[in-house]
Amino acid sequence: MLKNEELEEVPGEKDDLWGKMYGRLARLSRLYANKNQEILEEKNTLKELVSDISHQTKTPIANIKLYLEMIEEETDAARKQEYLQKMNGQVDKLDFLLQSMVKMSRLETGTIKIQKQKTPVADTLAMAISDVVAKAEKKNIAIDVQYDEHLELIHDKKWTAEAIFNILDNAVKYTEEGGRIHILVCCQEIFTKISIADTGKGIAPERQAAVFTRFYREPEVHNKEGIGIGLYLAREIITLQNGYIELQSEPGQGSTFMIYLPNG
């Protein structure tokens, strides 16, 4: 045990005093080994998270420094104003990243407590949709919703709206101008399904599992704003409510994200 090695099976008779003591030591050894493995996995996760944070914050910080240098050297007032606007955009990006990090950290450490109560699904949808309407209107993207106005569900309104918003935000971001997003709420026997279908670029089947991982971004969309946390957060929020998310998509055919929340 001192060498971090698991004890072997009990030697000799198991019913004598030594056998019983050895059996307990063996169980303790297994618990100790499992705990060590958990600690190692947590360290690796923390190491990955620190690396991800460093990578994500490096670019906006470098850009802010660059724009500051350019402002100091520039004499033209119009160009200075242009650099200030660009720098402000990088500050917004950094602020959004840090807020997302806080949400992610609170979810992963269990600081956030899901507060479920019976709430109309319509209220949750309204909260989520209101935050993407302006972006959708800028791109002339129509958002239509089909649901039962009287449908109520035991869920956390605030965090479920956050999850739906993250999916909608992605849909608006990767749907071309003049596109469409359709939201359909359907009460099934065990779950209530909230489908969010867009007419965007679609996702290749081999990449569909990866879109829910932390900081993942499709290779061809790096020119779009975003840091790759939204879908990860959405899945975590729904999982904390004993639900799950499915994805159906084909390249060029749009995507449909289906949120399943338990009725009971």
Side-chain angles (χ1 to χ4, degrees):
M1 289 177 66
L2 291 174
K3 294 178 181 178
N4 291 326
E5 296 176 359
E6 282 193 45
L7 297 181
E8 298 176 358
E9 287 298 316
V10 181
E13 293 294 329
K14 296 185 179 181
D15 292 333
D16 59 11
L17 179 60
W18 167 238
K20 290 177 181 178
M21 288 178 60
Y22 193 93
R24 292 188 178 185
L25 284 171
R27 286 197 297 274
L28 182 61
S29 175
R30 285 193 294 273
L31 288 171
Y32 183 69
N34 290 338
K35 197 64 181 175
N36 279 345
Q37 183 61 34
E38 287 178 13
I39 292 170
L40 181 61
E41 288 173 2
E42 286 176 3
K43 283 183 178 178
N44 289 334
T45 300
L46 182 59
K47 190 186 296 182
E48 289 175 9
L49 180 58
V50 170
S51 175
D52 287 337
I53 292 171
S54 173
H55 175 72
Q56 291 293 329
T57 56
K58 186 165 56 178
T59 302
I61 290 172
N63 287 339
I64 289 168
K65 287 181 177 179
L66 177 63
Y67 288 132
L68 278 172
E69 290 174 5
M70 294 170 75
I71 288 170
E72 287 176 356
E73 296 172 2
E74 186 59 63
T75 55
D76 183 72
R79 294 297 295 274
K80 279 189 175 184
Q81 187 62 33
E82 180 188 341
Y83 295 148
L84 279 171
Q85 288 177 352
K86 289 182 176 179
M87 188 168 70
N88 189 53
Q90 294 299 311
V91 171
D92 287 344
K93 182 177 180 180
L94 193 58
D95 180 54
F96 176 76
L97 170 65
L98 293 176
Q99 286 186 39
S100 298
M101 291 288 189
V102 170
K103 290 176 187 175
M104 184 174 67
S105 173
R106 290 173 67 194
L107 280 169
E108 291 185 343
T109 56
T111 307
I112 288 176
K113 300 300 180 186
I114 296 294
Q115 305 289 337
K116 294 199 292 185
Q117 59 183 17
K118 200 168 189 178
T119 309
V121 175
D123 293 354
T124 306
L125 289 173
M127 184 183 288
I129 295 169
S130 64
D131 289 334
V132 296
V133 166
K135 285 184 180 179
E137 286 179 348
K138 274 187 179 181
K139 296 178 71 176
N140 194 29
I141 294 172
I143 301 177
D144 61 272
V145 191
Q146 187 178 343
Y147 62 96
D148 178 356
E149 292 181 4
H150 305 292
L151 178 62
E152 293 186 330
L153 188 65
I154 298 173
H155 66 294
D156 186 303
K157 176 183 172 181
K158 176 189 171 185
W159 286 106
T160 303
E162 171 84 16
I164 295 171
F165 162 76
N166 287 341
I167 294 173
L168 285 172
D169 190 50
N170 258 38
V172 171
K173 195 180 299 176
Y174 301 122
T175 297
E176 295 301 322
E177 290 198 17
R180 179 170 170 266
I181 297 171
H182 178 63
I183 303 170
L184 173 64
V185 181
C186 177
C187 185
Q188 301 175 333
E189 186 176 350
I190 301 174
F191 292 93
T192 290
K193 180 172 76 169
I194 303 171
S195 297
I196 302 168
D198 63 56
T199 57
K201 69 176 193 65
I203 304 166
E206 64 272 15
R207 296 179 187 168
Q208 290 178 15
V211 299
F212 293 102
T213 57
R214 192 170 52 204
F215 299 117
Y216 175 81
R217 301 198 69 205
E218 293 270 86
E220 63 272 17
V221 299
H222 283 285
N223 61 323
K224 302 276 188 181
E225 63 176 21
I227 54 175
I229 291 181
L231 293 180
Y232 169 79
L233 285 174
R235 187 186 64 175
E236 292 297 303
I237 290 165
I238 299 303
T239 301
L240 283 173
Q241 299 182 78
N242 300 317
Y244 62 98
I245 300 179
E246 286 184 345
L247 167 61
Q248 291 179 354
S249 184
E250 290 290 340
Q253 301 297 317
S255 302
T256 301
F257 287 84
M258 292 159 287
I259 297 172
Y260 293 87
L261 287 168
N263 293 330

